[in-house]
Amino acid sequence: MLAIIVTGHGEFTRGILQSAEMIFGKAPKVTAVTLGAKESVEDLANHYQAAIQAMRPVDELLFLVDLWGGSPYNAAKQIVAQHADKYGLVSGLNLPMLIEALSSQKQPLAEVIPRIETAARAGIRHVEDANDTAADEEDF
């Protein structure tokens, strides 16, 4: 089963995981790891290691990170580099991406990453005509 660490700056990751659990339900081997305002990248890397230990055994692990290039991303990237064959890292965390990841935990990491990228992009929509209900009805 794919383990998932949802991570980012401040309480965002706990909130988005809580929202996903309201929709999807609580999933095993999923945890939120946050970077506090006064914490370092080293502190965060230690939090990641503790989270991984708590979810053991971990065959494959996916980091879902809020922002590309930020401290949570950089700390996760170091860990993923050491386990490139079984750990993955995707940035740009949004709720559709997280729900897709939760629903795909029984799939191999290599199949999950393209699916969550697609779900994340599909979750971005611009409403051009707020009175047009036909497009919304087609999605259901």
Side-chain angles (χ1 to χ4, degrees), residues 5-10 13-14 31-35 43-44 47-48 51 72:
I5 294 179
V6 182
T7 185
H9 298 81
T13 53
R14 284 194 181 106
T31 191
V33 176
T34 63
L35 173 65
D43 292 331
L44 188 57
H47 295 324
Y48 289 160

Side-chain angles (χ1 to χ4, degrees), residues 16 20 37 45-46 54-55 58-59 66 84 95 118 124 136:
I16 198 168
N46 290 335
M55 291 190 287
V58 172
D59 295 323
D66 63 349
L95 193 53
T118 299
I124 300 169
D136 293 336

Side-chain angles (χ1 to χ4, degrees), residues 14-128:
R14 284 194 181 106
I16 198 168
L17 181 55
Q18 181 183 31
S19 295
E21 288 173 345
M22 288 175 66
I23 297 164
F24 182 80
K26 190 139 178 83
K29 294 196 179 202
V30 178
T31 191
V33 176
T34 63
L35 173 65
K38 296 183 181 188
E39 291 184 305
S40 68
V41 173
E42 184 177 307
D43 292 331
L44 188 57
N46 290 335
H47 295 324
Y48 289 160
Q49 293 298 343
I52 293 166
Q53 287 293 334
M55 291 190 287
R56 289 217 184 269
V58 172
D59 295 323
E60 293 185 311
L61 173 67
L62 176 61
F63 285 90
L64 296 177
V65 182
D66 63 349
L67 184 64
W68 181 85
S71 295
Y73 173 90
N74 292 330
K77 185 178 173 187
Q78 291 174 359
I79 294 170
V80 170
Q82 296 170 5
H83 305 277
D85 59 326
K86 60 183 185 169
Y87 287 13
L89 170 61
V90 178
S91 67
L93 175 62
N94 66 21
L95 193 53
M97 171 195 290
L98 179 54
I99 292 168
E100 184 65 34
L102 295 176
S103 68
S104 302
Q105 279 186 280
K106 294 181 181 177
Q107 305 299 316
L109 180 64
E111 292 178 20
V112 173
I113 289 176
R115 291 178 65 183
I116 65 173
E117 288 174 330
T118 299
R121 287 182 188 106
I124 300 169
R125 304 272 177 105
H126 172 236
V127 176
E128 293 183 29

